[in-house]
Amino acid sequence: MQIDLQTLWYLTVGTLLVSASLLLWERQAHPGRACVIGILAAALFAFVLGSMLAMNRSHFPVALGMGATNILMMFGYLLVLNASAAFDGHRYFWSSVAALSFLAIAWAIAGTHFPAAFWNHVSSIPIALTCGLTAWILLRSRTIQQMRSRPIAVSISAVHAVFYLGRAFIAPVLVQQYGQDIISIVGKATMYEAVLYSVAMPMSFLMIIREEEKLQLLRMSQTDQLTGLANRHAFFEQADRILREGHGDPVSLLAFDLDHFKAINDRHGHPTGDKVLQLFAETAREEAGPDALIARLGGEEFAALLPRCDHSQALSRGSAIASRFAKAAARAEGLKTRATVSIGLAAPDCHDLAGMLASADGALYRAKALGRNRVETTGPNELLLQPQADPLHRQLRVVATETS
């Protein structure tokens, strides 16, 4: 079935209007990315205006109708580019204004003398460049770098750029070889491709936004709200993976318990206790190393798994955390209490998570018993000598923890 060019224009306009309307509807459901979606919807409406002007360009002087259509279309593509940049909080407002101004000047100077060549070929070059830059921005975006749907959005913009490069540089060669009938074929191919782009492009952006929100919800479910550290569930899940993928590299584990934390809460109130917890989390993050998995296991108890960190290095990091935390708490503005931490380091011969946690907990008991505000460690095979191995001492350990 043959479809004439005018029908294809109507099909394109209808598709663009539906896509823009769906974007505006989706915008309400994604307040965090409402700006991106709003810019995309504006881009589609710009394409609608450009398409309607193209359908009626015969009512205007040749260069004016073609030039205005090209500028409106470019405005839409520049909005898509800005929507891509908005993922990372960037804007290219003045660059976009400069590009549109340059295009308008080009049409005014050269387009009036060669309107057909400008419309059929030259006008495709800025569109191709803009779409290529959009693909590059999406490819280099740090915000959506881990998104599975990002390659789809990159591919859609890249394919669109390649198509318009072909229209700019390959179509003229085909016209010379096969005559002016090629122009009509290229025009219909452009309309078919435009319909696909008007559906695929906004859909790919919505896929990215939905995936981003899903990852944010996942991160929230695995994050302790007060300290920003991993929570207990995330720690056990990620620690198991780190140990499985360790490939024989040394891994150490530190267990932390803030000293006299219940007394701090009772004497100074929970807001002060929260500040102490946040201060410790910040200190541990800065001193444990960039690869460390640090988690709040509950209350005032924390743990840090240190990949590629041997026993002596872990002992040094634990000492640095204890020392820096005590000094930071003493200097902290608005903190009305002294705060310290006791730390237990797992024995170097422990290689499974359960054994490391038990060993570190035994060392932590020793640190508490020896006066707190210190790092203690258990030697190889020393865990069985720890008091908490006995049920009675386990009960004493619980009582000591509750009163500390």
Side-chain angles (χ1 to χ4, degrees):
M1 181 180 64
Q2 294 291 330
I3 301 179
D4 62 89
L5 199 57
Q6 193 74 1
T7 302
L8 286 173
W9 277 115
Y10 281 117
L11 179 61
T12 302
V13 169
T15 305
L16 288 167
L17 285 172
V18 170
S19 296
S21 301
L22 290 175
L23 280 177
L24 291 177
W25 177 262
E26 284 284 339
R27 189 171 182 265
Q28 304 173 35
H30 307 282
R33 288 301 186 188
C35 179
V36 175
I37 297 175
I39 295 172
L40 279 179
L44 295 183
F45 282 121
F47 291 146
V48 168
L49 293 175
S51 298
M52 294 177 66
L53 183 58
M55 294 166 64
N56 298 280
R57 66 182 183 275
S58 59
H59 301 296
F60 301 92
V62 175
L64 178 61
M66 292 178 175
T69 300
N70 187 215
I71 291 170
L72 268 174
M73 292 297 190
M74 262 298 295
F75 177 56
Y77 287 113
L78 287 168
L79 285 173
V80 175
L81 184 147
N82 277 273
S84 304
F87 280 118
D88 291 320
H90 301 313
R91 296 288 190 277
Y92 297 109
F93 175 78
W94 291 113
S95 300
S96 300
V97 171
L100 291 174
S101 301
F102 179 81
L103 185 60
I105 293 170
W107 270 99
I109 295 174
T112 53
H113 298 290
F114 310 101
F118 254 68
W119 174 254
N120 293 318
H121 309 300
V122 178
S123 64
S124 300
I125 296 175
I127 293 175
L129 293 175
T130 304
C131 291
L133 185 56
T134 300
W136 176 253
I137 289 172
L138 291 170
L139 184 65
R140 301 289 294 176
S141 172
R142 287 177 293 180
T143 304
I144 62 172
Q145 193 170 28
Q146 305 300 323
M147 307 293 175
R148 291 177 62 249
S149 43
R150 182 187 61 154
I152 298 175
V154 171
S155 300
I156 290 169
S157 290
V159 168
H160 202 60
V162 170
F163 179 86
Y164 273 86
L165 281 176
R167 177 172 169 146
F169 296 106
I170 298 176
V173 177
L174 295 177
V175 169
Q176 288 182 353
Q177 290 184 354
Y178 301 103
Q180 292 296 317
D181 291 341
I182 293 296
I183 296 295
S184 177
I185 296 173
V186 170
K188 286 187 177 182
T190 301
M191 300 309 300
Y192 281 120
E193 200 270 345
V195 170
L196 294 175
Y197 177 80
S198 64
V199 174
M201 182 273 294
M203 186 181 296
S204 67
F205 274 75
L206 285 177
M207 288 168 61
I208 290 174
I209 291 169
R210 288 171 178 171
E211 186 178 353
E212 183 184 44
E213 290 181 347
K214 182 179 178 181
L215 290 175
Q216 286 175 348
L217 289 173
L218 179 61
R219 280 194 292 268
M220 288 176 61
S221 71
Q222 296 181 339
T223 302
D224 176 64
Q225 295 293 313
L226 178 64
T227 63
L229 300 176
N231 59 22
R232 186 183 188 89
H233 172 76
F235 177 77
F236 282 99
E237 182 180 286
Q238 296 177 41
D240 281 333
R241 177 180 53 78
I242 291 171
L243 292 173
R244 285 196 309 269
E245 299 173 357
H247 305 298
D249 294 331
V251 180
S252 300
L253 187 138
L254 294 167
F256 307 91
D257 193 290
L258 301 190
D259 298 325
H260 304 296
F261 187 72
K262 186 176 185 299
I264 291 174
N265 272 335
D266 291 343
R267 189 176 302 121
H268 302 286
H270 287 283
T272 298
D274 289 346
K275 290 180 181 178
V276 171
L277 292 170
Q278 290 168 337
L279 180 62
F280 174 76
E282 180 183 347
T283 304
R285 262 194 299 261
E286 294 176 358
E287 292 290 341
D291 295 335
L293 170 61
I294 312 171
R296 182 185 179 193
L297 301 182
E300 71 274 22
E301 296 181 354
F302 298 80
L305 192 71
L306 310 176
R308 293 177 293 280
C309 181
D310 62 26
H311 196 261
S312 61
Q313 291 172 325
L315 187 61
S316 175
R317 294 186 192 182
S319 299
I321 291 172
S323 173
R324 180 170 174 176
F325 174 62
K327 293 176 181 177
R331 296 194 305 262
E333 184 177 351
L335 201 61
K336 305 173 183 178
T337 182
R338 176 175 176 268
T340 58
V341 62
S342 297
I343 307 174
L345 172 60
D349 63 335
C350 296
H351 302 293
D352 65 286
L353 185 58
M356 295 175 80
L357 285 168
S359 177
D361 190 60
L364 178 59
Y365 177 88
R366 174 186 288 179
K368 289 281 190 182
L370 293 176
R372 299 180 171 84
N373 190 24
R374 62 198 299 131
V375 185
E376 290 294 328
T377 181
T378 51
N381 303 317
E382 194 178 342
L383 177 61
L384 294 177
L385 302 179
Q386 292 298 325
Q388 70 272 20
D390 178 76
L392 176 61
H393 282 91
R394 279 206 191 99
Q395 295 176 9
L396 294 175
R397 166 87 166 93
V398 171
V399 173
T401 301
E402 289 177 348
T403 57
S404 63

